[in-house]
Amino acid sequence: MKYSYKRITLLAGHYGSGKTNIAVNMAFDLKKQYNSVTIADLDIVNPYFRTKDSQTELEAEGIKLICSEYANTNVDIPALPQDMYSVIDDQSRYAVIDIGGDDRGAYALGRYSDGILKEDNYDMLFVINCYRPLTRDAMTTLEVMHEIEMAGKIKFTGIVNNSNLGEETTADDVLSSLDYASKVSKETGLPIKATCVKQELIDELSEKIPDLFALKLQKKII
């Protein structure tokens, strides 16, 4: 699938939904289509995965990485880099922004929401995963969604179904999540923009699920 990008792609969701891995993969995908690409990490609550874990690979592809200077340290300080404003101001660059998990992480987005809304060339994607403990059904997932929208001051424009069990995910696991994703889509009125699956499952699922987006799993730096 060739995903159709707006200039700014924002990814937000519950902790552990997999948004950081999607952000990294989308940045690589964007680079195939556009020369100037930035990936920005707005996660200031120090989650397990960081875009900085892929810094070497991103830089090798000429993708600019913006993240807190405290990323991949044991310092948990809510500091945001000044370079973040260049994502909003430089409209010649395409960008993927990884928003922090839940409402706490989304508060950082509120600082930039006015500029994003004014340009109006963005997608705010809600990453969902029915295999996470606190988002197993549509009702609890919607609660998380509304909290993020309130904190980040931007409404979601679409859904990304990233229901997975990590390396153990099978094609049946993905297929079993489709009803859940459809219910979230129906309740919110938001389209399912993509269903993410690891690269190894693409051939098995390509004729069963529309709008597949292949993922290479990001490796955590220890």
Side-chain angles (χ1 to χ4, degrees):
M1 166 199 172
K2 185 174 180 180
Y3 187 83
S4 179
Y5 294 93
K6 299 293 184 68
R7 190 182 76 80
I8 295 177
T9 302
L10 304 146
L11 294 160
H14 180 54
Y15 293 111
S17 60
K19 58 191 173 51
T20 297
N21 191 54
I22 297 171
V24 170
N25 278 269
M26 281 191 166
F28 286 124
D29 191 48
L30 261 175
K31 187 60 179 176
K32 297 175 184 176
Q33 303 176 46
Y34 303 99
N35 290 326
S36 300
V37 175
T38 296
I39 182 169
D41 189 344
L42 275 186
D43 251 331
I44 59 173
V45 290
N46 212 22
Y48 182 71
F49 281 103
R50 286 283 195 179
T51 52
K52 193 172 178 67
D53 293 331
S54 298
Q55 182 173 10
T56 301
E57 293 85 352
L58 291 164
E59 290 179 348
E61 292 295 323
I63 299 170
K64 182 178 180 180
L65 170 62
I66 298 175
C67 63
S68 168
E69 62 184 293
Y70 300 107
N72 282 345
T73 73
N74 59 2
V75 179
D76 190 12
I77 296 177
L80 291 171
Q82 282 296 114
D83 276 359
M84 261 305 302
Y85 287 101
S86 69
V87 173
I88 314 303
D89 297 335
D90 185 356
Q91 297 185 7
S92 69
R93 299 187 67 87
Y94 277 73
V96 179
I97 304 178
D98 177 13
I99 310 301
D102 292 0
D103 56 334
R104 282 198 304 150
Y107 279 119
L109 176 61
R111 188 179 303 184
Y112 312 101
S113 60
D114 286 347
I116 294 171
L117 291 169
K118 182 178 180 180
E119 182 188 1
D120 194 22
N121 189 7
Y122 70 92
D123 259 331
M124 175 77 165
L125 302 178
F126 184 37
V127 181
I128 62 174
N129 184 349
C130 66
Y131 297 114
R132 297 299 298 168
L134 298 182
T135 54
R136 292 192 183 280
D137 56 54
M139 183 176 295
T140 53
T141 302
L142 263 60
E143 290 175 2
V144 172
M145 189 194 82
H146 293 316
E147 290 171 356
I148 293 172
E149 287 182 332
M150 289 288 290
K153 301 179 182 178
I154 297 181
K155 294 284 188 179
F156 284 104
T157 61
I159 294 167
V160 173
N161 179 17
N162 190 44
S163 296
N164 73 91
L165 296 165
E167 293 280 7
E168 307 301 318
T169 308
T170 66
D172 284 341
D173 293 326
V174 180
L175 291 169
S176 295
S177 74
L178 298 183
D179 183 59
Y180 155 81
S182 294
K183 288 178 180 176
V184 175
S185 176
K186 182 178 180 180
E187 290 295 328
T188 60
L190 297 174
I192 299 173
K193 293 291 188 78
T195 297
C196 295
V197 298
K198 58 184 180 179
Q199 183 70 55
E200 296 83 352
L201 295 177
I202 285 291
D203 290 343
E204 189 173 354
L205 294 171
S206 60
E207 295 184 1
K208 299 176 181 178
I209 303 175
D211 301 324
L212 286 178
F213 187 86
L215 297 178
K216 291 183 179 179
L217 298 184
Q218 183 191 18
K219 293 182 179 179
K220 171 69 180 175
I221 295 176
I222 305 299

